[in-house]
Amino acid sequence: MKSVRLSRAMVGVMVAGGLFMSACGYDATVVPEAKAPATTSGSAIKPVECDNATQSYQPSNDAAAARRELLNPDRLVVGVSADTYQLGWANPFDDSRIQGFDIDVAKAVADALGVKLQLRVISAADRPTLLGAKTDGEAHEQEIDLVARNYTMNCTRWTQIGFSAVYYNATQKVLVRKDDVGDFEKRGVASLAGKDVCAPAGSTSIDNIKEIQPDVEAVPAANHTGCLVKFQQGEVDAITGDDTVLAGLAAQDPYAVVPDQQKLTDEPYGIGANKGDKDLIAFVNSVLEQRRSNGEWQKSYDKWLKPYLGNATAPAPTYGRR
Amino acid sequence: MSQTASPQAAPPPPAAAPAPAAPATATRAGTGHVDTPGLLNRWQLIGMSVAIVFGLLSAFVQFLGWQSDGRAAEDTKQLQRVQEIQSSLLRADALATNAFLVGGLEKQRATYDEEINTVLREITNAADAQPADREVLGELNVAVGDYTRAVADARSNNRQGFPVGAEYLSGASTQLRADATPILSALVKANTERAEGSMDGQHPFWLLLIGLLALAGLLWLNQQLAQHFRRRLNKGIAVAAAIVLVVTVIGVVGAWIRDSSNDTLRDGDLALAISQAKARTAANDAKANESLALIKRGSGAVYLEEWEGSATNVERSLRRDTGESWNDYVAVYREIRKLDDGGNWEKARDLATTSAASGSSKPLDDFDKASDQIVKAASGHVGHDLRSGRDVALAISIFSLLLGIGAALFVSRGIGERRREFS
């Protein structure tokens, strides 16, 4: 009797054990927490005051002297944008060739130098470092000869790099949603208080808008097109930048509008170069002078920017920097 | 039941008994009498219990082994699924980024769609197959949804000639690596551990230990009987011990064979399937980085670094049958970089996008196909080997239980014989 009871108990234990093992599952798969990316503080460059931000070196057509300053003897490497519609962008309908108002300047300089042009796409933040500027006390190796990428001339930047004479006078403005146009036109930048406004990291636009309206929430992106993606995905309410760039963004999105507004700042564009490449800068100035006089500047402006920004003429250059 | 009888009171052995069966030790010092029937009952209970517990435990350990092999087959299949998702997702990204270099080539779209369909189908299958993966597969589904939406946005903007399309695409690739890659890595790691753990489910040592303990128990019982009766060997217990010995030998040898077979599988075909799936994923990651670096036109240093990392991962698992196509790909890639760095972006782009043998896509496609075939074949072997012979293992488990019960009956019979002799 006892042994029968024992056998039954054992069978029970075995069946229960089997069922337990069958039902017993694995622990849920866990994805390890991602390490938070190291946050980099913005550039802590102390603003420099001066009254000759647009003053460049006297033009010179000494191509040989300019060529001696190139990084490669037979090649001009120019840092450009490939996503700034109408200024410098890769056109998918034209075999992805990079073209635009800035690119025309780069082509003209390379042609005048008699060398091959290499366009290297760079971000706004990369501009000074790739030109070999010393930033935040850190030296950088020069990798490009020039920057033709809507580069605003200012006194602080002159301490890091050299500029050509001004080749376009842009202004900083704001792009908003179609729904917000009325409010913006009525109250101006005050309507942006508490709103998220995007501008490229390393550009002057973020500093400028914070100075005018400290209550905006500045949101950086790698470039203006990155701002447009954030804008389309509802992450930011507005984008600030140069009127040239904003016109290109508005052209890509019918819900993005640049309302009638007062300019926030003047943004004179120059071609950036290494601080020591004065012969190259002087040569670029002679090319810009030539383009102004032979109508090439106007032709280029009319082709790329006039449909979006209306009539304009070439800005007058200032020389005499030593 | 219990009967009190002194040895002196015990009746003489029947005439028919083959030998005198009177207890060898008639009295115990100090007690004066021994309750032999009670003792026989206790020994019968102990002996039967030893045999039944042996049968139960042996069967249980073998049942666990049988179950573990089945689980290992399922875990291996799940591992194959998540690695298929990983490789297909990176393959889709390689196709999407490459197509973008030539204005969103539509001819690559069908292949991209196929890869994404594979990803979505396998996510559903994997969630059905393994409840422990379900939650993270849900997160993966969201990440894949975000990725495909961003690629669709990129394509539609690109088709209108808007540069924001390229931004959507590079953002999609970056997000894919930030969101989906950690999930897939965690899934691969968890399922590799599960598959390897399940393959360790055979326990020949435990079966040997259970058998030895049972034999020791029966030997002890035989000795007790020998001390009380004048027969050195109890036939019933001897037969029970023989059954225990045979069951133990069969169980241990069977479990040992399966254990070594699983070790061979784990270090052989399973390791091969895992390493080749990783290589396939890394190769497609490299191709996507090659395209992204070209899309960025000189500002894609981060993608060049990523490419080198992916190439190192591929080269760790290179085999003779995949090495040639990978080396061909690397040679074209180096040529592409030379052209791009030398200012010949268009030529570099053409080499990266052409489907001709001179471009980088053809050798990469060859590598992808070859490694995919290796993964499928090796995973198939693992699943087949783990499942084969499982019916026999289950039959042995049941057989062990029945023989344990049989051994118990022989113990009962052996002690019953002594009881009859005693009475």
Side-chain angles (χ1 to χ4, degrees):
Chain A
M1 276 298 276
K2 274 184 185 172
S3 65
V4 171
R5 249 183 275 145
L6 188 69
S7 302
R8 278 183 184 166
M10 286 295 176
V11 170
V13 166
M14 186 177 172
V15 170
L19 288 174
F20 171 75
M21 292 307 293
S22 308
C24 177
Y26 292 117
D27 289 341
T29 306
V30 177
V31 182
E33 292 263 329
K35 283 181 192 159
T39 51
T40 51
S41 56
S43 175
I45 303 170
K46 201 175 168 188
V48 176
E49 297 286 326
C50 68
D51 56 5
N52 63 341
T54 57
Q55 186 186 37
S56 184
Y57 304 106
Q58 199 64 31
S60 160
N61 57 6
D62 186 351
R67 273 198 297 270
R68 276 196 294 274
E69 291 181 344
L70 296 183
L71 293 170
N72 305 281
D74 57 347
R75 187 155 37 111
L76 175 71
V77 185
V78 182
V80 297
S81 171
D83 61 358
T84 310
Y85 203 38
Q86 305 301 321
L87 280 178
W89 101 103
N91 186 350
F93 297 149
D94 189 15
D95 202 20
S96 295
R97 284 195 181 85
I98 302 177
Q99 49 196 240
F101 185 69
D102 280 344
I103 309 304
D104 283 354
V105 179
K107 278 181 183 166
V109 175
D111 287 348
L113 282 169
V115 295
K116 192 179 161 190
L117 173 65
Q118 180 186 348
L119 298 177
R120 177 163 166 185
V121 179
I122 61 172
S123 70
D126 288 338
R127 292 176 298 192
T129 52
L130 292 176
L131 283 173
K134 200 173 177 183
T135 55
D136 298 334
E138 191 187 342
H140 301 277
E141 193 182 345
Q142 185 184 356
E143 294 182 36
I144 55 178
D145 296 303
L146 297 173
V147 166
R149 193 191 188 285
N150 49 313
Y151 209 175
T152 300
M153 304 167 76
N154 63 39
C155 301
T156 308
R157 286 175 175 167
W158 267 109
T159 64
Q160 300 175 318
I161 60 160
F163 278 109
S164 72
V166 60
Y167 68 92
Y168 184 76
N169 268 327
T171 57
Q172 186 180 339
K173 290 186 175 173
V174 177
L175 175 150
V176 297
R177 293 182 197 292
K178 207 171 184 177
D179 299 344
D180 295 336
V181 169
D183 192 30
F184 187 87
E185 286 183 344
K186 204 162 121 189
R187 299 200 295 135
V189 180
S191 69
L192 299 177
K195 291 193 173 176
D196 295 320
V197 180
C198 185
S203 70
T204 50
S205 307
I206 279 194
D207 299 333
N208 292 342
I209 192 101
K210 284 291 277 183
E211 200 176 316
I212 297 164
Q213 175 50 273
D215 293 336
V216 300
E217 296 293 329
V219 178
N223 49 40
H224 272 109
T225 316
C227 281
L228 182 59
V229 170
K230 286 181 186 290
F231 181 84
Q232 290 180 336
Q233 293 182 335
E235 291 175 36
V236 298
D237 304 296
I239 303 171
T240 186
D242 302 346
D243 52 359
T244 47
V245 177
L246 297 184
L249 298 184
Q252 298 176 63
D253 185 346
Y255 296 99
V257 177
V258 183
D260 288 335
Q261 59 193 284
Q262 292 287 318
K263 64 183 179 188
L264 300 180
T265 55
D266 284 314
E267 304 290 331
Y269 289 168
I271 300 295
N274 181 277
K275 205 175 174 185
D277 292 347
K278 291 183 183 173
D279 289 335
L280 179 60
I281 295 172
F283 186 80
V284 170
N285 284 343
S286 78
V287 174
L288 295 177
E289 196 68 55
Q290 208 175 12
R291 280 170 56 78
R292 262 189 295 271
S293 57
N294 66 10
E296 281 298 315
W297 185 97
Q298 197 66 53
K299 204 171 139 190
S300 177
Y301 178 84
D302 292 351
K303 180 180 178 184
W304 302 114
L305 298 175
K306 189 180 169 185
Y308 304 97
L309 297 170
N311 289 325
T313 52
T318 315
Y319 304 120
R321 184 175 287 268
R322 292 181 183 278
Chain B
M1 276 298 277
S2 67
Q3 209 175 347
T4 307
S6 65
Q8 287 81 1
T25 311
T27 57
R28 274 187 192 171
T31 56
H33 72 279
V34 170
D35 177 11
T36 301
L39 207 54
L40 283 171
N41 283 345
R42 262 202 305 279
W43 284 339
Q44 182 177 358
L45 181 64
I46 290 169
M48 288 183 77
S49 298
V50 164
I52 288 172
V53 168
F54 162 77
L56 280 170
L57 288 179
S58 288
F60 185 58
V61 169
Q62 290 178 64
F63 176 76
L64 287 184
W66 170 83
Q67 204 179 36
S68 190
D69 274 0
R71 211 164 44 233
E74 291 305 318
D75 291 341
T76 309
K77 181 78 188 153
Q78 181 75 345
L79 177 61
Q80 189 197 343
R81 276 188 206 104
V82 295
Q83 289 203 305
E84 173 81 13
I85 294 169
Q86 196 174 32
S87 301
S88 296
L89 203 49
L90 267 299
R91 177 100 186 117
D93 193 49
L95 290 164
T97 48
N98 195 247
F100 221 80
L101 278 169
V102 274
L105 263 188
E106 293 301 308
K107 66 181 175 187
Q108 292 200 14
R109 184 172 177 172
T111 322
Y112 164 85
D113 287 343
E114 275 172 28
E115 297 293 345
I116 291 296
N117 287 344
T118 302
V119 168
L120 296 174
R121 199 169 39 243
E122 289 302 325
I123 287 177
T124 310
N125 291 340
D128 282 346
Q130 178 53 273
D133 288 341
R134 212 164 278 162
E135 195 176 328
V136 288
L137 283 166
E139 290 169 23
L140 179 65
N141 208 26
V142 172
V144 172
D146 289 346
Y147 171 75
T148 52
R149 263 194 305 281
V151 170
D153 282 341
R155 185 181 284 139
S156 62
N157 276 290
N158 201 44
R159 286 169 72 88
Q160 296 172 77
F162 295 152
V164 72
E167 193 65 27
Y168 270 107
L169 185 78
S170 57
S173 290
T174 306
Q175 208 62 30
L176 181 75
R177 283 158 182 78
D179 293 347
T181 301
I183 295 173
L184 283 161
S185 299
L187 282 166
V188 169
K189 184 170 177 279
N191 284 290
T192 303
E193 285 170 1
R194 285 171 194 152
E196 290 181 349
S198 302
M199 288 170 111
D200 270 340
Q202 299 295 335
H203 304 292
F205 173 76
W206 286 109
L207 288 171
L208 182 66
L209 188 68
I210 292 164
L212 289 177
L213 287 174
L215 284 173
L218 293 176
L219 188 67
W220 172 82
L221 187 58
N222 191 65
Q223 276 178 337
Q224 295 302 310
L225 284 168
Q227 280 173 14
H228 284 266
F229 298 89
R230 287 185 183 162
R231 290 191 180 278
R232 193 182 293 171
L233 194 68
N234 182 290
K235 273 186 199 165
I237 291 176
V239 173
I243 290 173
V244 167
L245 186 65
V246 169
V247 169
T248 301
V249 168
I250 291 173
V252 168
V253 169
W256 181 78
I257 289 171
R258 292 196 70 78
D259 194 38
S260 6
S261 160
N262 285 358
D263 285 350
T264 310
L265 269 185
R266 187 181 49 223
D267 300 337
D269 279 332
L270 181 64
L272 176 66
I274 292 171
S275 71
Q276 290 308 300
K278 278 184 184 166
R280 187 180 169 226
T281 302
N284 281 300
D285 194 29
K287 179 67 180 164
N289 281 312
E290 172 204 301
S291 301
L292 286 166
L294 286 171
I295 289 169
K296 289 294 176 184
R297 290 189 177 191
S299 60
V302 63
Y303 301 114
L304 302 182
E305 279 175 32
E306 295 281 335
W307 188 94
E308 296 295 342
S310 301
T312 305
N313 286 337
V314 174
E315 278 153 16
R316 268 193 209 121
S317 316
L318 268 194
R319 286 160 45 102
R320 225 178 313 165
D321 43 3
T322 55
E324 196 180 336
S325 51
W326 173 254
N327 290 335
D328 288 349
Y329 166 72
V330 172
V332 185
Y333 170 78
R334 299 285 178 213
E335 178 64 19
I336 288 169
R337 290 314 319 149
K338 202 171 152 193
L339 286 167
D340 189 25
D341 293 340
N344 291 309
W345 183 85
E346 277 87 0
K347 280 187 184 164
R349 186 267 321 267
D350 291 347
L351 267 187
T353 53
T354 180
S355 56
S358 56
S360 63
S361 299
K362 175 76 172 55
L364 196 281
D365 289 350
D366 290 346
F367 178 86
D368 181 74
K369 272 183 204 141
S371 51
D372 189 34
Q373 278 169 5
I374 294 168
V375 171
K376 287 198 167 102
S379 302
H381 288 157
V382 174
H384 178 264
D385 281 12
L386 284 168
R387 284 193 182 89
S388 68
R390 281 188 77 228
D391 292 346
V392 177
L394 183 63
I396 291 174
S397 169
I398 295 167
F399 192 57
S400 299
L401 177 65
L402 295 176
L403 284 178
I405 294 167
L409 293 175
F410 274 106
V411 169
S412 168
R413 196 170 159 186
I415 291 179
E417 199 179 312
R418 290 286 174 272
R419 191 179 287 119
R420 277 196 305 278
E421 286 170 358
F422 174 74
S423 54

